[in-house]
Amino acid sequence: MYLGRDRAHVHALICMLPRAACAAAELLAGVSVPGVPEVLELHTADEPPWASLAHIPAVTLAAVAGSTTGTLEPQPADRIRALGGALCETLAGLHQQGVSYGALVPSGVWLTTGRPLLMALSSCRTSPTAERGRRDEEIVPPSALPAPFMAPETVGGRVSSQAADIYALGVLLAHATTGRFPFGEGPPEVLAYRASHGKAELHGLPADLAEAVAAALAPVPGDRPTAAELSQTSALTRTTPVADGPAPGKVIIALAAQAQETADLGEGADRDLPRRTDVATRPLHRAADGPTRSSATGQTSPAGPLTRRALLSRLATGVAGAVLGAGTSLAWTATREPADRSLPDRPLATAPLPGLPPTALWRFDDVTARTTLLRVAGAGRYLVTRGETLHAHEVRSGKEVWERPIAFGRANPVLLVGGGRILVQTRDALVLCSLGDGRTHWIDRTFHTQNTTVLELLAVEGDTVWLHMGPAAGASATTHALAAFDLAARRELWRSELPADFVYELSLTPTPAGLLVEVLPEVDPHRDPYGTRKVPLACFDRTTGRSLWQRTYEGVYSGPASAVDETGRFYVLSTGRARAYDATPGSQLWESTLRFGGQHSPLLLTGTLLCETDPVNGVVALDRDTGRTVWQQRLDEPLQWFLLGTMATSASGRTLFVPTRRQLAALDLRSGERLWQMAFVGREDPSPLQLLATPDVLIVAQPSVVFALPAV
């Protein structure tokens, strides 16, 4: 099959046909079979014979679910039920027309954003009947199917039939579910003997699916159910169309890549088209394109050119554009280098199509599934940790640049300190190094003693960094302190003892009135989302470290329900309301009229807005000065607190990125309008997606994969 295009840029699949397939193609021309693309034109008198089919973006099951050994990776049983039900309906339609498919193997089943397709027209044959024999050229040769999919009666070049399609379907369903062939592997004759005299190995299949597959694998063709009968079994009955649910993530990745390649082929326009061929002069139209028909000629003419926008719009019909299959049987292959589809040399500022997510620029896979994205980027680099190693990657390509061992504190062990440098907390020292190449500027071990050590790097401003000091492992000391350190002079400026309850993870915000230090909630995946807690807040003098004041806020939701801004305002979600305080005098500034639940995302302060996500309100933006609701936007997902990740904004301040465990949405920060939304199918990791916005790129991560999207 080839991808053809006429001068109006309308695409179609051009299929070269063997003579043995011409009769079947003639039976399918002019009829509609669900799951079989429409035959647009048929030329069986030409040499070679050819047909054109409606072009629907699709990738083979073998391409997206195949392993390195040539077999299929095991797929979830529910996915195989839906696949099997759809294929039964398509086979029933083909068989009703008197056509057997003859290619029901992973490479002969195409996956789309909707239902799967059977479009190997060159393998179709007219089915033998009692009244009509079969000519020799209609016999499917032994090599047409892989041996495990060949029905016993077809071995040796004997006639293929509708019953042989059912047998191949049974093998496909068993293999796709378990990753094994029901009669093992070997020469066709050996497998035919096993199928005729042995019992299929169906261990691992659900009982009802195993029953349906066993019936399809009956050694006698007449004992096998028809496709219509098989589609009515409880194991394969589809209560909803396949298109109602999102497609597996790797299917969407492959389709997006295919669409990009198709669009790139079209950029040369007509100069690359042959001058005097049928492909160039005959219109090859899709019924779905909305063509018009000329009353004078009776020929269809295109409603308009198939632009990249139109192609991608059709690609994403019914789904939001999933890009992740990691953590499932459709996972990307883990590599230590960026994938082949890395696009480091392409412009990053490509305008996204309305409603559709942008194409991923690159991805990087971690076979150990230990990747944590740090909120540090600069000098064209971003940072991640894997285990106890710090890794730097290029923002534009995802390529790993350098790595070094680190020791983990209870929070971010790296701070961006300006000048293309980072401060790294290692096992026994503070290390200042270059973000670009990892080169060390200096190492300081004065903070690490027998009794005390650096627990956290809190914040940096200019050449001053603030540290959370605490007892070293095995030390008898129990006091915690806040320390200031001059990076240029490499000396401690001051150290101040922290209050007794400031022993967990801390957050420090430099403000004109002083250093505001907040105790963050403990990370507890089993916390009560409706519980409340007390939030201690203290202020220290910037110059001397002297304690200025301390107060406690009651009834704050147990999750990350508070934030401090650079002016000294303190925002909390407390007992159903969002509240803002002037932290220095402690006076309340406003209280929201909108009520919030305990199941919420971390608060995000951006520009003039305070943003929050919860299951009741969706995404909410409040005015930071008044608490007035500026806009609300709901997400297409039932939200619970453990699904809500930390939001991010683009460097331009125009786009808000909202992550959950299963989706990523991009919203216009001014209006809340949804710009696009991605669905991540099959993710097993329970944590929300991690985000990092750089000037041109949004980096998205989970433990097993990191990828980049254009960000505006």
Side-chain angles (χ1 to χ4, degrees):
M1 290 189 291
Y2 301 87
L3 180 63
R5 186 186 73 234
D6 69 3
R7 294 191 181 279
H9 285 219
V10 177
H11 289 73
L13 294 176
I14 311 300
C15 304
M16 301 296 105
L17 301 177
R19 284 292 169 191
C22 289
E26 290 169 352
L27 290 176
L28 294 177
V31 300
S32 177
V33 177
V36 177
E38 178 190 3
V39 178
L40 302 175
E41 292 193 35
L42 182 61
H43 297 264
T44 56
D46 290 359
E47 190 58 47
W50 64 276
S52 65
L53 301 178
H55 174 238
I56 302 173
V59 291
T60 66
L61 177 62
V64 297
S67 71
T68 56
T69 63
T71 59
L72 295 183
E73 294 284 358
Q75 306 297 303
D78 287 344
R79 186 175 298 164
I80 300 306
R81 293 178 196 276
L83 175 68
L87 293 179
C88 281
E89 291 180 3
T90 302
L91 284 178
L94 286 172
H95 294 172
Q96 186 177 5
Q97 300 301 323
V99 173
S100 59
Y101 185 57
L104 209 66
V105 294
S107 60
V109 176
W110 279 261
L111 305 180
T112 72
T113 57
R115 67 178 305 134
L117 302 178
L118 299 180
M119 54 185 182
L121 195 60
S122 61
S123 297
C124 291
R125 300 292 186 268
T126 53
S127 301
T129 64
E131 294 80 17
R132 178 171 54 86
R134 190 78 175 263
R135 300 192 304 272
D136 289 342
E137 65 265 27
E138 293 179 308
I139 297 176
V140 180
S143 60
L145 290 178
F149 294 89
M150 295 176 64
E153 69 272 14
T154 65
V155 174
R158 291 186 288 273
V159 174
S160 182
S161 65
Q162 296 178 4
D165 282 346
I166 300 301
Y167 182 91
L169 176 63
V171 174
L172 181 68
L173 297 181
H175 180 46
T177 307
T178 65
R180 306 184 307 273
F181 292 111
F183 296 105
E185 298 184 66
E189 294 77 10
V190 172
L191 295 182
Y193 181 85
R194 293 176 187 169
S196 300
H197 300 88
K199 185 178 181 181
E201 171 53 58
L202 302 179
H203 177 71
L205 287 170
D208 58 343
L209 188 56
E211 183 180 354
V213 169
L217 297 178
V220 178
D223 292 342
R224 298 170 199 155
T226 66
E229 292 169 345
L230 202 57
S231 68
Q232 297 303 313
T233 62
S234 60
L236 299 178
T237 299
R238 296 189 302 122
T239 57
T240 58
V242 174
D244 283 358
K250 198 170 183 182
V251 175
I252 303 297
I253 277 289
L255 290 176
Q258 182 189 98
Q260 181 67 61
E261 291 168 358
T262 302
D264 290 344
L265 287 173
E267 290 179 359
D270 294 338
R271 70 169 183 268
D272 296 329
L273 286 173
R275 289 291 179 184
R276 299 179 62 82
T277 67
D278 286 331
V279 176
T281 58
R282 278 202 181 106
L284 303 173
H285 305 305
R286 288 184 56 180
D289 286 344
T292 57
R293 182 171 295 276
S294 167
S295 58
T297 64
Q299 299 293 320
T300 51
S301 59
L306 183 61
T307 62
R308 181 182 177 190
R309 180 185 302 271
L311 183 62
L312 290 176
S313 295
R314 294 196 193 103
L315 167 69
T317 299
V319 298
V323 298
L324 263 185
T328 72
S329 55
L330 290 177
W332 288 325
T333 302
T335 62
R336 286 306 304 261
E337 293 296 329
D340 293 340
R341 300 196 181 280
S342 189
L343 305 175
D345 300 325
R346 291 198 173 196
L348 300 182
T350 54
L353 303 178
L356 297 179
T359 302
L361 301 169
W362 52 260
R363 77 165 192 269
F364 185 99
D365 295 324
D366 176 13
V367 67
T368 66
R370 295 187 300 168
T371 293
T372 299
L373 179 65
L374 302 182
R375 295 202 163 196
V376 176
R381 306 286 187 261
Y382 74 92
L383 300 179
V384 299
T385 60
R386 296 188 187 95
E388 292 193 343
T389 307
L390 176 67
H391 300 258
H393 294 254
E394 290 183 352
V395 169
R396 292 183 63 90
S397 68
K399 181 179 180 181
E400 184 173 301
V401 181
W402 55 263
E403 66 177 53
R404 69 184 307 153
I406 63 169
F408 283 103
R410 293 176 302 186
N412 192 340
V414 181
L415 280 179
L416 182 66
V417 298
R421 302 171 301 164
I422 55 173
L423 184 66
V424 181
Q425 174 194 352
T426 69
R427 296 181 186 277
D428 58 359
L430 295 180
V431 181
L432 187 70
C433 61
S434 167
L435 179 55
D437 57 13
R439 179 173 55 87
T440 299
H441 291 282
W442 52 253
I443 300 176
D444 190 287
R445 293 185 171 88
T446 57
F447 284 101
H448 297 268
T449 67
Q450 185 176 359
N451 292 319
T452 62
T453 188
V454 177
L455 297 181
E456 298 178 83
L457 305 179
L458 295 177
V460 64
E461 188 176 78
D463 285 329
T464 302
V465 61
W466 292 280
L467 312 171
H468 179 192
M469 306 296 300
S476 58
T478 59
T479 58
H480 289 246
L482 177 66
F485 183 76
D486 189 309
L487 295 171
R490 289 181 57 187
R491 65 183 181 88
E492 183 177 323
L493 300 175
W494 51 258
R495 188 178 299 199
S496 179
E497 186 175 340
L498 288 165
D501 48 357
F502 282 62
V503 296
Y504 301 110
E505 185 176 330
L506 305 179
S507 171
L508 184 148
T509 305
T511 72
L515 305 173
L516 292 183
V517 180
E518 174 195 358
V519 178
L520 299 178
E522 293 183 80
V523 178
D524 180 7
H526 305 294
R527 69 177 174 86
D528 178 5
Y530 301 100
T532 59
R533 61 187 175 95
K534 297 179 181 179
V535 178
L537 191 68
C539 185
F540 296 84
D541 185 272
R542 296 168 61 102
T543 305
T544 65
R546 180 173 60 90
S547 178
L548 300 178
W549 53 259
Q550 179 185 356
R551 63 177 58 91
T552 300
Y553 295 84
E554 305 277 352
V556 178
Y557 286 132
S558 58
S562 59
V564 181
D565 71 12
E566 66 283 354
T567 68
R569 288 183 181 177
F570 181 57
Y571 303 87
V572 294
L573 297 180
S574 176
T575 59
R577 304 287 184 184
R579 294 178 171 87
Y581 298 87
D582 187 327
T584 299
S587 57
Q588 181 172 308
L589 300 175
W590 52 257
E591 178 181 300
S592 69
T593 57
L594 193 66
R595 294 193 63 86
F596 296 90
Q599 302 190 55
H600 52 77
S601 68
L603 300 181
L604 176 71
L605 297 168
T606 175
T608 61
L609 300 177
L610 170 68
C611 298
E612 181 268 0
T613 303
D614 66 49
V616 177
N617 300 299
V619 187
V620 179
L622 303 179
D623 187 288
R624 286 170 65 171
D625 293 328
T626 64
R628 178 180 59 86
T629 302
V630 178
W631 52 259
Q632 290 180 253
Q633 177 64 263
R634 298 196 177 276
L635 299 180
D636 298 334
E637 180 177 4
L639 297 180
Q640 297 173 328
W641 67 270
F642 55 85
L643 300 177
L644 297 169
T646 301
M647 295 176 282
T649 58
S650 62
S652 67
R654 298 200 302 258
T655 308
L656 175 68
F657 300 104
V658 184
T660 67
R661 196 176 86 178
R662 300 186 181 96
Q663 294 183 351
L664 173 64
L667 309 181
D668 188 307
L669 258 174
R670 295 164 296 183
S671 64
E673 177 187 0
R674 189 182 310 173
L675 304 176
W676 50 261
Q677 185 165 306
M678 286 180 175
F680 297 89
V681 181
R683 292 191 66 228
E684 300 299 332
D685 184 80
S687 59
L689 298 165
Q690 309 159 43
L691 304 182
L692 173 65
T694 71
D696 296 313
V697 171
L698 176 70
I699 298 173
V700 186
Q702 69 164 129
S704 59
V705 65
V706 184
F707 67 96
L709 301 172
V712 294

